[in-house]
Amino acid sequence: MDGSTIVVLISAGVLGGAANAIAGGGTFFTFPALIATGLDPVTANASNAIAIYPGHAAAVPAYRRELRMPGRTLLRRAAIAAVGGSFGALLLLATGEAAFTELVPWLLALATAIFWTAAKLNRLIARMNLDSPSGSTAIQFIFAVYGGYFGAGLGVLLMAALTMIGVSDVQSANAQKNLLAAVITTISAAIFIGAELVHWPSTVVVLLGAMAGGYLGARLARHIPARVLRGFIVSLGLALSVYYFVT
C-alpha cells in the first residue's frame, strides 16, 4: 500500500472507531474507505468485519454481571446468533462479487434507515407481541443472518430484536447486544478468513485506526452530543447510498 492509501484507511478507522464509541455507525466510514482504496465489495465487507471486530468484543467483559442474569436463555441466544451469523457469512460467499456489488447501495440504504429510525423502531417493536418461542428464534436468526452477511447497523438491529423478545432492561439488553454481536462477528470473521477473503494489510491499518478512534471517541463522548453525530452519520449514509446507486 502507498502512503495515501494508508492515510485514507487509518483516517476512516479513527472516524469509525470514534463514531462507534459515541453513537454507532462506524461502518459508514470504514466500508466505503476500503472500497475506495481498490478492494472489491465482498473483500471490503469481509475485511471490514475483522477490522471492527474488537468494538463489540471489548465491551463484553464490562457487562459480566448483567450477562449472568439471563442464564440458559443467553446460551440459547448465543447459539442462534452463531448459526445465523454462519449462514449469513456463507450466503455472502455464495452471492459472489457481481451480485453483492449490486446489493451494496440497497444494503447501505437499509442500514441508514435502521440507524435513522432506531428509537422509533424500538418503541414500535416494544408494542408488538413477538416474544413467543418460535417468533423469538426467528427474529434472532434473521438479524444474525444480516449481521453475518453485511453487519452495518447490527447493534441497532440486535437491540431491536432483544426488545421484540421481551428484554426490557436497557443495561441487560446492551450487554446481550454486545455479546451476540461479538458471537456473530467472530463466526463470520472465521469463515471469511478461512475463505481467504480478508485483505490483511488494509484490515490491520483500519483496525489500528479504529482502536485509536475508540479511545478518542470515549473521551469526546462528553463533549459531542450523540444526536449531532447521529445526524451526520445518517447524512453520510444517505449520500453513500445515492453515490453507489448512480455509479
Side-chain angles (χ1 to χ4, degrees), residues 138-167:
I139 291 164
Q140 294 173 74
F141 180 76
I142 291 169
F143 287 0
V145 169
Y146 171 85
Y149 187 79
F150 187 52
L154 177 60
V156 173
L157 276 177
L158 288 176
M159 286 293 284
L162 290 164
T163 302
M164 282 184 182
I165 62 180
V167 181

Side-chain angles (χ1 to χ4, degrees), residues 4-242:
S4 61
T5 299
I6 293 174
V7 170
V8 168
L9 292 177
I10 202 164
S11 299
V14 170
L15 290 170
N20 280 338
I22 300 171
T27 294
F28 289 111
F29 295 96
T30 54
F31 176 65
L34 287 163
I35 293 178
T37 56
L39 299 186
D40 66 84
V42 172
T43 302
N45 188 44
S47 301
N48 185 63
I50 310 294
I52 64 172
Y53 170 77
H56 292 297
V60 172
Y63 284 100
R64 290 190 300 271
R65 183 176 61 184
E66 289 81 2
L67 289 173
R68 285 196 294 266
M69 296 170 61
R72 293 181 181 179
T73 300
L74 183 58
L75 291 177
R76 185 175 69 251
R77 289 172 184 167
I80 295 169
V83 174
S86 300
F87 189 86
L90 292 172
L91 183 62
L92 176 66
L93 300 186
T95 300
E97 181 184 339
F100 186 73
T101 299
E102 293 296 321
L103 287 173
V104 164
W106 296 99
L107 290 168
L108 286 171
L110 174 62
T112 302
I114 292 167
F115 193 76
W116 189 4
T117 63
K120 293 180 179 178
L121 180 64
N122 278 327
R123 286 196 296 269
L124 173 64
I125 289 167
R127 297 196 294 267
M128 300 170 69
N129 185 22
L130 294 170
D131 56 355
S132 65
S134 58
S136 171
T137 299
I139 291 164
Q140 294 173 74
F141 180 76
I142 291 169
F143 287 0
V145 169
Y146 171 85
Y149 187 79
F150 187 52
L154 177 60
V156 173
L157 276 177
L158 288 176
M159 286 293 284
L162 290 164
T163 302
M164 282 184 182
I165 62 180
V167 181
S168 56
D169 181 75
V170 174
Q171 290 301 321
S172 178
N174 200 41
Q176 293 183 59
K177 175 260 293 182
N178 284 317
L179 176 64
L180 297 177
V183 169
I184 293 167
T185 52
T186 298
I187 294 294
S188 58
I191 291 173
F192 296 150
I193 292 170
E196 298 183 347
L197 279 181
V198 180
H199 187 266
W200 286 107
S202 299
T203 300
V204 170
V205 173
V206 175
L207 174 61
L208 292 174
M211 292 172 63
Y215 176 79
L216 178 65
R219 295 181 65 87
L220 291 175
R222 296 186 182 90
H223 307 289
I224 300 178
R227 184 174 62 181
V228 173
L229 183 59
R230 288 179 69 86
F232 173 74
I233 292 171
V234 167
S235 299
L236 176 64
L238 290 172
L240 288 170
S241 300
V242 171

